[in-house]
Amino acid sequence: MSYDVVVAGGGPVGLMLACELRLGGASVVVLERLTEIDPTLKAGSLTTPSVEALYRRGLLPALQEVQERAMELMKSFMREQASAEGPRRIPPRFAGHFAGMMLSADLLDADDPDLSGRGPAAQIGLVPQQQLEQILAVRAAELGVEVRRGVEVTGFTDDGEQVTLTTTGGPVHGRWLVGCDGGRSTVRKLAGFEFPGTDPEITAYQAIAKMEGTEHLGVGWHATPTGVYSYGPVPGRILVARFDGGAPGRDGKTTPVTTEELQEAVRHVTGSDVVVREITSVTRFTDNARQAATYRLGRVLLAGDAAHVHSPFGGQGLNLGLGDAVNLGWKLAAVVRGQAPEGLLDTYTRERHPIGAWVLDWTRAQIALMRPDAHARAARAVVADLVGTVTGTTYFVKKISGVWQRYDMPGGGGHPLVGRSVPDYEFEDGSRLADHLHDGRGLLVRRSGSGLDGTAVDGYGDRVATVTTAVGDPHFPGALLVRPDGVVAWAQDPGTTDSEGLANALETWFGTPAGVPAALR
């Protein structure tokens, strides 16, 4: 069978990409080697850009439901701790961590402009990866995405016109192939992508397990003479990172983690005689940090861990991959539909590669401060002082949450909003801006009385919706153009007219308007 796009990998990134492609009108099949969702403990939270992307597709209620269940688990854990240890001081509100140094929400600068204007998305974050994957699987089914589980890609050829794949389920043909198949990506290796980076220096474990002797473990993150560990915030969860590489001869990629191995690592790092009785879920990982030199070679593209790997500290991996999917999906769909030239795909690497490079360095910096040597611990003490300030906490939270992210985009009228995630403005009818992005089209928002010609988007009706409304926010510009991924492509201030800038932005991101003769395109 032949498809517009074949997506290798049916985790959250592959499913998110497939949903975006279908929303954009492309035919897509997802090939996933696993027969069911991987139950292994993985990422546990979403950053602001990820929640905004899902919110803009109408998935906020599902995320809210998952977060409520996760919060109940956390409350259960805290009740257990209180019962075991007696009355406890109420801990400060948690806002994340940097290198295991806890960030208190009580120290956040509530007036920082980067942390405002996020709407309901700002209230969501505690969404485990497995539950997100379930939400996206339902969404993919609703959109008509074909997902083939138990099918693994074993090879492919790219003849410049289409990609022909060999799989364990038979041959598959697609005009494009996107590898979302994880850190050891078969697609990346077969396509020949360069994958430079730095080698690992830690061995770490994250587990949900039945344990005894945990009464001496401190809740939250702690640095010890042999590494760092985190206990909680749900029953039985523990994470330990050791800097001696662990026992010799262990193969961290394929060998299952035994109760003995986990127990030895927990004791080594925490210094407590913990007994691991039974493992519910466990993963072993390192801080191997690598990034593909480009995210596209011919008709093959990469997204998620296939394009970049790093340690999970700071919770950036899943979110970085979702950002890739949201950025690529609408662009590839537009190229498939013939409404944009292939050159639009060049902006994928240009916009996403710098974000990925930053995440790799962000995780490397945390590893450097987690080292148990005297120099690292001295640097850690300095950073801990900064973390304990309003300015420091606000800086770290803004970085971790992703609200700082901005694409370097040409044109756009030079407005400071261009390249940034659009604020979730509330309109006069009670709707919010995100409510108008559910169908995957771009959006032109004009303030009532802005003077912008209503014919500005003629010929783009299938790609760009239009809203003319009063907006209560005094910071709202006179008008703005939003890409399908929620990024502002153009804006003009009240009292100004930039019809030419709008026309250029429309052509840059949405192609030639319908009705223009081919000879003039």
Side-chain angles (χ1 to χ4, degrees):
M1 296 183 67
S2 184
Y3 302 85
D4 290 327
V5 184
V6 179
V7 176
V13 175
L15 290 173
M16 186 74 184
L17 175 62
C19 289
E20 292 296 286
L21 288 165
R22 279 298 301 137
L23 210 55
S27 62
V28 58
V29 62
V30 177
L31 308 179
E32 169 55 52
R33 66 179 182 84
L34 298 179
T35 57
E36 57 186 17
I37 294 175
D38 185 359
T40 305
L41 183 63
K42 295 184 179 179
S45 61
L46 296 178
T47 59
T48 299
S50 295
V51 178
E52 287 179 330
L54 295 159
Y55 169 37
R56 290 166 182 154
R57 298 300 183 254
L59 297 175
L60 190 67
L63 299 181
Q64 290 171 328
E65 184 178 339
V66 169
Q67 177 166 276
E68 288 173 4
R69 293 199 300 266
M71 290 295 292
E72 283 303 315
L73 280 175
M74 291 180 64
K75 292 176 182 177
S76 173
F77 174 74
M78 297 307 296
R79 285 194 295 268
E80 287 182 8
Q81 292 300 111
S83 176
E85 302 175 17
R88 295 173 57 87
R89 179 180 64 85
I90 298 176
R93 291 182 298 134
F94 180 57
H97 77 90
F98 181 76
M101 289 173 277
M102 308 289 275
L103 302 170
S104 170
D106 296 331
L107 289 175
L108 272 178
D109 179 2
D111 296 324
D112 190 290
D114 288 335
L115 297 174
S116 61
R118 301 291 170 174
Q123 307 304 316
I124 301 295
L126 196 60
V127 179
Q129 180 167 325
Q130 286 85 354
Q131 281 68 48
L132 174 62
E133 190 169 337
Q134 291 170 356
I135 290 172
L136 291 173
V138 171
R139 173 67 167 166
E142 291 172 349
L143 292 173
V145 173
E146 183 179 351
V147 179
R148 299 188 197 175
R149 287 194 168 273
V151 177
E152 184 173 3
V153 175
T154 57
F156 65 83
T157 58
D158 175 5
D159 65 8
E161 296 294 330
Q162 75 168 4
V163 181
T164 300
L165 295 89
T166 55
T167 78
T168 55
V172 180
H173 305 278
R175 295 170 60 188
W176 297 87
L177 168 63
V178 185
C180 302
D181 50 342
R184 295 188 289 276
S185 169
T186 297
V187 171
R188 185 188 68 237
K189 294 173 183 176
L190 291 175
F193 284 86
E194 295 181 13
F195 202 49
T198 52
D199 294 330
E201 57 181 274
I202 70 166
T203 302
Y205 304 81
Q206 183 176 211
I208 297 289
K210 293 182 179 179
M211 298 177 287
E212 297 175 0
T214 59
E215 59 271 14
H216 300 299
L217 299 182
V219 175
W221 286 89
H222 301 272
T224 75
T226 52
V228 294
Y229 79 89
S230 174
Y231 181 49
V234 298
R237 180 188 178 275
I238 191 162
L239 184 153
V240 295
R242 57 190 301 168
F243 283 75
D244 62 352
R250 287 192 179 129
D251 184 347
K253 294 182 179 180
T254 59
T255 306
V257 178
T258 63
T259 55
E260 292 78 14
E261 180 183 350
L262 178 61
Q263 177 177 287
E264 191 273 332
V266 172
R267 291 183 173 187
H268 176 78
V269 175
T270 67
S272 296
D273 292 329
V274 173
V275 177
V276 178
R277 293 298 185 190
E278 182 182 346
I279 295 175
T280 301
S281 177
V282 65
T283 181
R284 184 198 296 113
F285 63 89
T286 73
D287 58 321
N288 180 40
R290 300 186 178 279
Q291 183 181 24
T294 179
Y295 291 177
R296 177 193 173 194
L297 288 176
R299 289 186 168 266
V300 182
L301 301 107
L302 302 177
D305 289 351
H308 35 69
V309 296
H310 51 84
S311 82
F313 295 119
Q316 298 294 321
L318 169 62
N319 297 285
L320 181 60
L322 292 173
D324 292 345
V326 173
N327 186 285
L328 175 61
W330 68 275
K331 295 176 180 177
L332 185 52
V335 170
V336 164
R337 294 195 316 266
Q339 293 177 327
E342 282 191 24
L344 180 62
L345 297 178
D346 295 335
T347 67
Y348 172 53
T349 296
R350 188 170 71 228
E351 292 179 351
R352 294 303 299 171
H353 199 277
I355 305 292
W358 175 86
V359 168
L360 263 66
D361 280 345
W362 186 254
T363 58
R364 289 183 181 116
Q366 293 182 77
I367 294 298
L369 292 177
M370 288 179 174
R371 292 179 185 133
D373 64 85
H375 292 84
R377 289 298 159 91
R380 184 183 183 87
V382 173
V383 176
D385 284 344
L386 296 175
V387 165
T389 67
V390 171
T391 301
T393 292
T394 301
Y395 167 82
F396 283 108
V397 169
K398 285 168 62 174
K399 292 294 187 180
I400 292 170
S401 67
V403 298
W404 63 274
Q405 293 180 13
R406 181 174 187 257
Y407 298 144
D408 184 11
M409 289 168 49
H415 196 280
L417 278 176
V418 172
R420 293 188 177 276
S421 176
V422 64
D424 191 35
Y425 297 111
E426 186 171 3
F427 300 152
E428 61 183 339
D429 63 357
S431 68
R432 304 190 72 98
L433 190 144
D435 298 326
H436 298 270
L437 290 171
H438 289 187
D439 63 3
R441 289 187 295 169
L443 181 67
L444 176 66
V445 184
R446 302 180 297 169
R447 183 189 291 271
S448 299
S450 66
L452 186 66
D453 187 353
T455 65
V457 293
D458 283 357
Y460 289 99
D462 57 338
R463 285 162 272 176
V464 180
T466 304
V467 175
T468 302
T469 182
V471 183
D473 191 325
H475 301 294
F476 181 79
L480 53 79
L481 176 66
V482 185
R483 303 190 319 189
D485 57 357
V487 173
V488 178
W490 167 89
Q492 70 174 26
D493 287 320
T496 64
T497 301
D498 183 26
S499 299
E500 183 179 353
L502 174 58
N504 290 336
L506 284 165
E507 187 169 357
T508 296
W509 300 112
F510 298 97
T512 306
V516 175
L520 299 179
R521 296 182 182 180

